[in-house]
């Protein structure tokens, strides 16, 4: 049996990165939330509901390493039907007492409706991209999170002529500190 394409699952990449995180990191934080926003693939912008979770480690002082997963659902109430878009991120960032900012590469898997100039349909695949996120904690562990992803969906497609998908979501976030 011959395999021409091998895909590394996001969980395998996550486990590999966890093994290289410095063990002398002083503390870690868990965060989770649900955000609302917009996802665009092709010419149509669609509503996205995005539960997300992440873990971050302070490497040195205010420098942090973050692993984050953003699972976006395109509700079936829109033209084109339902879809899902999952983005896994490994990022470096800067944290302070009441917030943090991080940016880094992402890997997305998706099955979602998309429209080109004259044709609409569903697209599916795996895409590499970039992610940025800012969290501001306004009442103890409760805060607001804003995330933005840009992914390059590289295949030739009549439905998705731009080869780029974007998602911007914002919503409440809750964090737990682990010492």
């Amino acid at each position: 049996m011959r395999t021409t394409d091998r895909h590394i699952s996001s969980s395998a990449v996550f486990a590999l990165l966890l093994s290289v995180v410095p063990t002398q990191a002083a503390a870690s934080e868990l965060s989770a939330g649900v955000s609302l926003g917009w996802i665009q693939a092709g010419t149509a912008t669609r509503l996205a509901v995005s539960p997300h979770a992440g873990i971050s480690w302070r490497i040195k002082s205010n420098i942090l390493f973050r692993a984050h997963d953003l699972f976006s659902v395109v509700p079936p109430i829109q033209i084109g039907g339902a879809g899902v878009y999952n983005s896994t991120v490994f990022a470096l960032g800067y944290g302070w007492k009441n917030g943090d900012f991080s940016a880094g590469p992402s890997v997305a898997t998706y099955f979602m409706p998309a429209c080109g100039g004259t044709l609409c349909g569903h697209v599916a695949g795996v895409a590499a991209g970039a992610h940025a996120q800012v969290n501001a904690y306004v009442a103890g562990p409760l805060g607001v999170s804003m995330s933005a992803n840009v992914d390059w969906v590289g295949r030739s497609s009549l439905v998705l002529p731009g080869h780029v998908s974007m998602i911007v979501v914002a919503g409440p976030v809750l964090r737990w500190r682990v010492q």
Side-chain angles (χ1 to χ4, degrees), residues 89-100:
V89 179
F90 302 101
L92 289 176
Y94 182 82
W96 57 94
K97 181 180 176 184
N98 295 324
D100 56 65

Side-chain angles (χ1 to χ4, degrees), residues 31 55-56 64-68 89-92 100 102 133 135:
S31 63
I55 185 168
S56 60
L64 57 94
F65 173 80
R66 168 173 282 146
H68 185 81
V89 179
F90 302 101
L92 289 176
D100 56 65
S102 61
Q133 179 175 350
N135 296 323

Side-chain angles (χ1 to χ4, degrees), residues 14 28-33 51-57 65-70 89 133 135 137 173-176 178:
F14 182 69
S28 59
E29 289 183 357
L30 300 171
S31 63
H52 55 91
I55 185 168
S56 60
W57 294 269
F65 173 80
R66 168 173 282 146
H68 185 81
D69 194 73
L70 178 72
V89 179
Q133 179 175 350
N135 296 323
Y137 298 97
V173 65
L174 187 61
R175 75 173 167 185
W176 299 269
V178 181

Side-chain angles (χ1 to χ4, degrees), residues 35-121:
S35 297
L36 293 174
W38 301 102
I39 188 166
Q40 181 166 353
T43 59
T45 302
R46 302 180 190 289
L47 173 68
V49 179
S50 303
H52 55 91
I55 185 168
S56 60
W57 294 269
R58 302 266 177 175
I59 297 171
K60 292 199 180 221
S61 184
N62 292 338
I63 305 299
L64 57 94
F65 173 80
R66 168 173 282 146
H68 185 81
D69 194 73
L70 178 72
F71 183 78
S72 299
V73 177
V74 176
I77 58 173
Q78 302 165 85
I79 295 174
V84 293
Y85 198 92
N86 189 75
S87 183
T88 302
V89 179
F90 302 101
L92 289 176
Y94 182 82
W96 57 94
K97 181 180 176 184
N98 295 324
D100 56 65
F101 170 80
S102 61
S106 65
V107 175
T109 54
Y110 56 91
F111 175 79
M112 59 181 293
C115 290
T118 58
L119 187 63
C120 289

